[in-house]
Tab-separated table of all heavy atoms in Angstrom:
chain	number	residue	atom	x	y	z
A	1	ALA	N	307.970	68.533	-72.478
A	1	ALA	CA	306.649	67.925	-72.364
A	1	ALA	C	305.653	68.913	-71.777
A	1	ALA	O	305.986	69.712	-70.917
A	1	ALA	CB	306.719	66.681	-71.474
A	2	ALA	N	304.446	68.822	-72.254
A	2	ALA	CA	303.386	69.692	-71.739
A	2	ALA	C	303.012	69.241	-70.336
A	2	ALA	O	302.985	68.056	-70.040
A	2	ALA	CB	302.164	69.637	-72.649
A	3	ARG	N	302.726	70.180	-69.484
A	3	ARG	CA	302.340	69.870	-68.108
A	3	ARG	C	300.820	69.801	-68.031
A	3	ARG	O	300.121	70.646	-68.546
A	3	ARG	CB	302.884	70.928	-67.168
A	3	ARG	CG	304.417	70.918	-67.174
A	3	ARG	CD	304.954	71.887	-66.191
A	3	ARG	NE	304.650	71.363	-64.856
A	3	ARG	CZ	305.034	71.956	-63.755
A	3	ARG	NH1	305.720	73.069	-63.807
A	3	ARG	NH2	304.737	71.451	-62.591
A	4	THR	N	300.354	68.782	-67.366
A	4	THR	CA	298.928	68.610	-67.182
A	4	THR	C	298.644	68.707	-65.695
A	4	THR	O	299.289	68.053	-64.893
A	4	THR	CB	298.477	67.231	-67.687
A	4	THR	OG1	298.885	67.103	-69.043
A	4	THR	CG2	296.987	67.076	-67.586
A	5	SER	N	297.692	69.500	-65.341
A	5	SER	CA	297.362	69.651	-63.932
A	5	SER	C	296.427	68.536	-63.489
A	5	SER	O	295.741	67.924	-64.293
A	5	SER	CB	296.710	71.007	-63.675
A	5	SER	OG	295.419	71.018	-64.229
A	6	ILE	N	296.433	68.304	-62.196
A	6	ILE	CA	295.527	67.313	-61.623
A	6	ILE	C	294.084	67.710	-61.906
A	6	ILE	O	293.229	66.882	-62.150
A	6	ILE	CB	295.749	67.207	-60.093
A	6	ILE	CG1	297.153	66.695	-59.800
A	6	ILE	CG2	294.693	66.341	-59.440
A	6	ILE	CD1	297.425	65.298	-60.251
A	7	LYS	N	293.809	68.996	-61.933
A	7	LYS	CA	292.456	69.485	-62.159
A	7	LYS	C	291.891	68.999	-63.501
A	7	LYS	O	290.706	68.754	-63.626
A	7	LYS	CB	292.451	71.010	-62.088
A	7	LYS	CG	291.070	71.581	-62.002
A	7	LYS	CD	291.130	73.064	-61.721
A	7	LYS	CE	289.730	73.566	-61.490
A	7	LYS	NZ	289.703	74.949	-61.107
A	8	SER	N	292.756	68.827	-64.502
A	8	SER	CA	292.266	68.385	-65.812
A	8	SER	C	291.744	66.955	-65.776
A	8	SER	O	290.975	66.552	-66.624
A	8	SER	CB	293.347	68.535	-66.880
A	8	SER	OG	294.395	67.629	-66.626
A	9	PHE	N	292.174	66.179	-64.781
A	9	PHE	CA	291.695	64.802	-64.659
A	9	PHE	C	290.465	64.704	-63.765
A	9	PHE	O	289.821	63.686	-63.714
A	9	PHE	CB	292.798	63.890	-64.098
A	9	PHE	CG	293.927	63.683	-65.058
A	9	PHE	CD1	295.187	64.191	-64.792
A	9	PHE	CD2	293.732	62.993	-66.236
A	9	PHE	CE1	296.221	63.999	-65.677
A	9	PHE	CE2	294.769	62.800	-67.126
A	9	PHE	CZ	296.015	63.300	-66.845
A	10	ALA	N	290.180	65.745	-63.037
A	10	ALA	CA	289.034	65.731	-62.127
A	10	ALA	C	287.742	65.823	-62.928
A	10	ALA	O	287.673	66.533	-63.924
A	10	ALA	CB	289.125	66.901	-61.152
A	11	PRO	N	286.719	65.092	-62.480
A	11	PRO	CA	285.442	65.176	-63.196
A	11	PRO	C	284.803	66.549	-63.017
A	11	PRO	O	284.974	67.197	-61.995
A	11	PRO	CB	284.597	64.088	-62.549
A	11	PRO	CG	285.238	63.803	-61.242
A	11	PRO	CD	286.678	64.162	-61.367
A	12	SER	N	284.086	66.966	-64.031
A	12	SER	CA	283.397	68.249	-63.951
A	12	SER	C	282.160	68.112	-63.072
A	12	SER	O	281.717	67.008	-62.765
A	12	SER	CB	282.979	68.709	-65.345
A	12	SER	OG	281.969	67.848	-65.840
A	13	THR	N	281.597	69.242	-62.682
A	13	THR	CA	280.382	69.231	-61.865
A	13	THR	C	279.252	68.534	-62.600
A	13	THR	O	278.509	67.741	-62.011
A	13	THR	CB	279.964	70.680	-61.518
A	13	THR	OG1	281.095	71.356	-60.995
A	13	THR	CG2	278.849	70.695	-60.516
A	14	SER	N	279.125	68.766	-63.901
A	14	SER	CA	278.052	68.112	-64.667
A	14	SER	C	278.299	66.607	-64.764
A	14	SER	O	277.356	65.825	-64.756
A	14	SER	CB	277.916	68.729	-66.049
A	14	SER	OG	279.083	68.510	-66.804
A	15	ASP	N	279.562	66.202	-64.835
A	15	ASP	CA	279.891	64.785	-64.897
A	15	ASP	C	279.501	64.092	-63.591
A	15	ASP	O	278.930	63.002	-63.592
A	15	ASP	CB	281.383	64.586	-65.176
A	15	ASP	CG	281.747	63.137	-65.427
A	15	ASP	OD1	280.990	62.458	-66.149
A	15	ASP	OD2	282.777	62.692	-64.900
A	16	ILE	N	279.782	64.745	-62.465
A	16	ILE	CA	279.412	64.182	-61.173
A	16	ILE	C	277.891	64.085	-61.065
A	16	ILE	O	277.356	63.071	-60.618
A	16	ILE	CB	280.002	65.030	-60.024
A	16	ILE	CG1	281.522	64.900	-60.035
A	16	ILE	CG2	279.426	64.605	-58.676
A	16	ILE	CD1	282.247	65.865	-59.134
A	17	ALA	N	277.190	65.101	-61.519
A	17	ALA	CA	275.722	65.072	-61.493
A	17	ALA	C	275.187	63.964	-62.396
A	17	ALA	O	274.246	63.256	-62.030
A	17	ALA	CB	275.159	66.424	-61.931
A	18	ASP	N	275.791	63.804	-63.584
A	18	ASP	CA	275.365	62.734	-64.490
A	18	ASP	C	275.545	61.364	-63.848
A	18	ASP	O	274.694	60.487	-63.972
A	18	ASP	CB	276.155	62.777	-65.806
A	18	ASP	CG	275.720	63.900	-66.719
A	18	ASP	OD1	274.701	64.560	-66.414
A	18	ASP	OD2	276.417	64.127	-67.727
A	19	ARG	N	276.660	61.164	-63.162
A	19	ARG	CA	276.903	59.879	-62.508
A	19	ARG	C	275.899	59.642	-61.397
A	19	ARG	O	275.415	58.533	-61.213
A	19	ARG	CB	278.328	59.828	-61.942
A	19	ARG	CG	279.383	59.699	-62.991
A	19	ARG	CD	280.742	59.617	-62.379
A	19	ARG	NE	281.760	59.732	-63.408
A	19	ARG	CZ	283.023	59.440	-63.226
A	19	ARG	NH1	283.441	59.036	-62.059
A	19	ARG	NH2	283.888	59.575	-64.203
A	20	ALA	N	275.625	60.675	-60.620
A	20	ALA	CA	274.717	60.535	-59.487
A	20	ALA	C	273.288	60.251	-59.935
A	20	ALA	O	272.580	59.464	-59.319
A	20	ALA	CB	274.750	61.787	-58.621
A	21	THR	N	272.867	60.859	-61.011
A	21	THR	CA	271.483	60.693	-61.462
A	21	THR	C	271.328	59.649	-62.547
A	21	THR	O	270.214	59.311	-62.917
A	21	THR	CB	270.937	62.036	-61.998
A	21	THR	OG1	271.726	62.444	-63.113
A	21	THR	CG2	270.940	63.104	-60.926
A	22	GLY	N	272.445	59.153	-63.082
A	22	GLY	CA	272.362	58.163	-64.156
A	22	GLY	C	271.970	58.775	-65.476
A	22	GLY	O	271.466	58.092	-66.349
A	23	THR	N	272.142	60.104	-65.627
A	23	THR	CA	271.771	60.748	-66.876
A	23	THR	C	272.898	60.641	-67.878
A	23	THR	O	273.987	60.208	-67.573
A	23	THR	CB	271.407	62.228	-66.644
A	23	THR	OG1	272.543	62.887	-66.084
A	23	THR	CG2	270.222	62.357	-65.729
A	24	GLY	N	272.636	61.113	-69.056
A	24	GLY	CA	273.580	60.987	-70.154
A	24	GLY	C	273.119	59.849	-71.040
A	24	GLY	O	272.356	58.981	-70.625
A	25	SER	N	273.578	59.871	-72.257
A	25	SER	CA	273.185	58.813	-73.180
A	25	SER	C	273.788	57.484	-72.743
A	25	SER	O	274.720	57.430	-71.943
A	25	SER	CB	273.661	59.164	-74.591
A	25	SER	OG	275.066	59.009	-74.682
A	26	VAL	N	273.253	56.414	-73.267
A	26	VAL	CA	273.781	55.089	-72.965
A	26	VAL	C	275.245	55.024	-73.373
A	26	VAL	O	276.081	54.499	-72.628
A	26	VAL	CB	272.950	53.997	-73.672
A	26	VAL	CG1	273.598	52.638	-73.526
A	26	VAL	CG2	271.530	53.980	-73.157
A	27	LEU	N	275.570	55.563	-74.539
A	27	LEU	CA	276.954	55.546	-74.995
A	27	LEU	C	277.853	56.346	-74.050
A	27	LEU	O	278.968	55.930	-73.760
A	27	LEU	CB	277.059	56.080	-76.434
A	27	LEU	CG	278.413	55.905	-77.107
A	27	LEU	CD1	278.850	54.445	-77.119
A	27	LEU	CD2	278.369	56.454	-78.525
A	28	GLN	N	277.369	57.474	-73.546
A	28	GLN	CA	278.150	58.247	-72.584
A	28	GLN	C	278.414	57.442	-71.321
A	28	GLN	O	279.528	57.443	-70.803
A	28	GLN	CB	277.432	59.548	-72.210
A	28	GLN	CG	277.530	60.621	-73.266
A	28	GLN	CD	276.701	61.834	-72.872
A	28	GLN	OE1	275.532	61.718	-72.538
A	28	GLN	NE2	277.326	62.994	-72.932
A	29	ARG	N	277.401	56.759	-70.837
A	29	ARG	CA	277.571	55.976	-69.614
A	29	ARG	C	278.480	54.775	-69.845
A	29	ARG	O	279.232	54.384	-68.960
A	29	ARG	CB	276.224	55.546	-69.072
A	29	ARG	CG	275.445	56.735	-68.513
A	29	ARG	CD	274.209	56.307	-67.782
A	29	ARG	NE	273.392	55.420	-68.588
A	29	ARG	CZ	272.100	55.556	-68.780
A	29	ARG	NH1	271.447	56.529	-68.206
A	29	ARG	NH2	271.433	54.712	-69.530
A	30	LEU	N	278.423	54.166	-71.030
A	30	LEU	CA	279.286	53.018	-71.327
A	30	LEU	C	280.748	53.411	-71.480
A	30	LEU	O	281.635	52.640	-71.137
A	30	LEU	CB	278.827	52.312	-72.609
A	30	LEU	CG	277.613	51.420	-72.492
A	30	LEU	CD1	277.201	50.920	-73.866
A	30	LEU	CD2	277.891	50.248	-71.559
C-alpha cells in the first residue's frame, strides 16, 4: 500500500486564507 503522510491531509496556506476570508467560489466553499 502507498504511504500517505499526515502533511498531505493538512490544509494548504491558501486554503487556510480562503477559509479565513471566505474567498473562493461558492462551489469551492460548499
Side-chain angles (χ1 to χ4, degrees):
R3 296 184 69 177
T4 304
S5 71
I6 296 295
K7 193 171 186 175
S8 67
F9 291 113
S12 68
T13 309
S14 64
D15 187 43
I16 293 169
D18 285 352
R19 288 182 190 194
T21 61
T23 60
S25 73
V26 172
L27 190 56
Q28 283 175 309
R29 290 189 308 229
L30 283 174

